Amino acid sequence: MSDKTHKETRQALIEWGVEVKLNAHVNDFNNGVITFADGETLEAKTLIWAAGIIANTFEGIPASSLGIGRRMITDEYNRVKDLEDIYAIGDISVQITDPVYPKGHPQLAQVAIQMGRNTAKNFIAMAKGKAIKPFKYFDRGDMAIVGRHNAVVDLFKHKVHLSGIAALFVWLFIHLMSLVNYNNKIKTLYNWAVAFLTRDQALRMIFGSGQSRAD
C-alpha cells in the first residue's frame, strides 16, 4: 500500500497504545520471552504470529522452480520455470517479469481471479492455434480495516487515498458488491451489522495439542 497509508496506520496504532517495531525479525519464542534477530528480548505471555503464508510443495516440482515463500516461479504467461505444460496462478505462483511488481504480485483475490481468466483464455487460444497473451495485472486498489471506526483505501494505483470512516464505508461497499449473489450480500451485511452493534467478533484459533499457545 502507499507510504501515506503506512504512516497513517502506524500513527493510529501508536495512539491506541501499540508499540510498533519495524524491520525486527523474531528468532525465537520460549518460556514467555521473545528473542529478536539483533539479540533484543521482550517478555510476553501471548504471541500472535501473522507473518503470511508459505506455499505447499509437492513431488515433481524442482527446487529451481521455487521462489519466495516456496511459490512457483512463473513467466508472464504463468508457465512454471524449468517445466513444460505446468501452470501456476494466484498465491501458489510468483511472477517477477512485471516491472511494476519485480518481487511478484500481491497475494490478493483479484490477482488470482485475473490470472485465472487470462490463463483460461490462453488455453482456448492455444487449442485454436492462436497467439497467447501475457498476464497484466489491473490494480483495482488496496484496502484494510484499522480498528472499529477506521479503514484505509488506496485506489487507482495509489493516486486516490481515503482514511477514517469514509474509507470504512468504501471497504464495506466494495466487499459486498464482490459477493456472488443477492442472498450472500444480505446475509453478510446483516452479520456485519450485528457484529458491529454487539461487538461480538468470531475468533478463529487453532490450539496445538498439549501446548499453551495459539497460532
Side-chain angles (χ1 to χ4, degrees):
M1 302 189 78
S2 67
D3 290 338
K4 188 173 183 179
T5 291
H6 294 164
K7 293 176 182 178
E8 288 184 358
T9 303
R10 182 185 181 188
Q11 185 59 38
L13 292 172
I14 292 174
E15 291 175 358
W16 296 334
V18 178
E19 181 182 347
V20 181
K21 298 177 70 66
L22 300 178
N23 301 315
H25 295 271
V26 175
N27 273 5
D28 190 26
F29 178 58
N30 191 30
N31 295 325
V33 178
I34 301 171
T35 303
F36 295 95
D38 60 1
E40 182 184 356
T41 60
L42 178 68
E43 293 185 3
K45 293 183 178 180
T46 303
L47 177 67
I48 300 174
W49 188 265
I53 62 173
I54 294 179
N56 287 328
T57 57
F58 50 92
E59 188 176 352
I61 304 298
S64 61
S65 298
L66 303 179
I68 183 172
R70 294 207 294 262
R71 297 158 66 189
M72 286 181 275
I73 302 172
T74 63
D75 63 10
E76 62 270 32
Y77 304 102
N78 286 99
R79 297 177 298 204
V80 178
K81 176 185 176 184
D82 296 334
L83 294 171
E84 293 184 5
D85 299 326
I86 302 295
Y87 293 77
I89 63 173
D91 290 357
I92 198 70
S93 72
V94 54
Q95 189 180 112
I96 56 178
T97 55
D98 190 337
V100 181
Y101 302 94
K103 295 183 180 180
H105 298 95
Q107 292 176 280
L108 302 173
Q110 271 301 319
V111 175
I113 291 170
Q114 293 179 34
M115 280 184 174
R117 288 173 177 167
N118 187 76
T119 304
K121 290 179 180 178
N122 282 340
F123 285 166
I124 295 173
M126 286 187 289
K128 295 180 179 180
K130 298 181 179 180
I132 59 177
K133 296 182 179 180
F135 172 72
K136 187 70 175 179
Y137 175 52
F138 176 72
D139 186 0
R140 296 187 176 181
D142 299 303
M143 302 177 291
I145 287 184
V146 186
R148 181 174 168 80
H149 303 95
N150 192 13
V152 285
V153 174
D154 289 326
L155 299 174
F156 308 114
K157 298 183 178 180
H158 300 171
K159 293 179 181 179
V160 177
H161 170 78
L162 297 173
S163 61
I165 193 69
L168 181 60
F169 279 113
V170 170
W171 187 98
L172 293 171
F173 176 78
I174 292 179
H175 279 76
L176 279 176
M177 292 302 100
S178 299
L179 296 179
V180 175
N181 56 52
Y182 181 77
N183 287 335
N184 284 342
K185 291 180 174 65
I186 294 298
K187 290 178 181 179
T188 301
L189 180 60
Y190 172 79
N191 290 334
W192 283 348
V194 171
F196 182 82
L197 294 174
T198 63
R199 295 178 180 268
D200 183 16
Q201 300 294 325
L203 298 180
R204 295 176 293 175
M205 296 193 294
I206 300 174
F207 293 90
S209 177
Q211 298 177 343
S212 60
R213 67 183 183 182
D215 294 329

